[in-house]
Amino acid sequence: EELSLYEDKIQIQPLDGGFNISNISGEDITGQICIYFKDAAGDMLYGGITYVVRLNGLAAGEIRQIMSANFTADRSRVMFVQIIE
């Protein structure tokens, strides 16, 4: 499976300590959504750790706030998203 941000299905708005995730697809996402991110500065990625947060399903039009102490708006970069149906 090719890596994707699923920008046609979800929108991710970075926040300090987490992010808002919105379902923009017009359809319910019933499976698990996994968001993978790393520490970064500019084009540089730091450390070998890739963090992941998971949520189960997201209704059409729903916006949910996901908190993660490892995520900061200015030092983290979402690498890819996985939707497991």
Side-chain angles (χ1 to χ4, degrees), residues 37-76:
F37 62 92
K38 292 186 78 65
D39 291 332
D43 291 335
M44 300 283 295
L45 301 175
Y46 289 97
I49 296 173
T50 301
Y51 301 100
V52 62
V53 293
R54 295 174 172 85
L55 62 147
N56 292 315
L58 197 63
E62 182 180 1
I63 301 170
R64 197 175 307 169
Q65 190 171 77
I66 306 299
M67 303 309 292
S68 174
N70 298 313
F71 192 93
T72 58
D74 62 341
R75 288 192 341 245
S76 299

Side-chain angles (χ1 to χ4, degrees), residues 12 17 19-20 24 28 38 44 64 67 79:
I12 299 171
F19 44 85
N20 288 333
I24 59 169
D28 291 349
K38 292 186 78 65
M44 300 283 295
R64 197 175 307 169
M67 303 309 292
M79 302 304 295

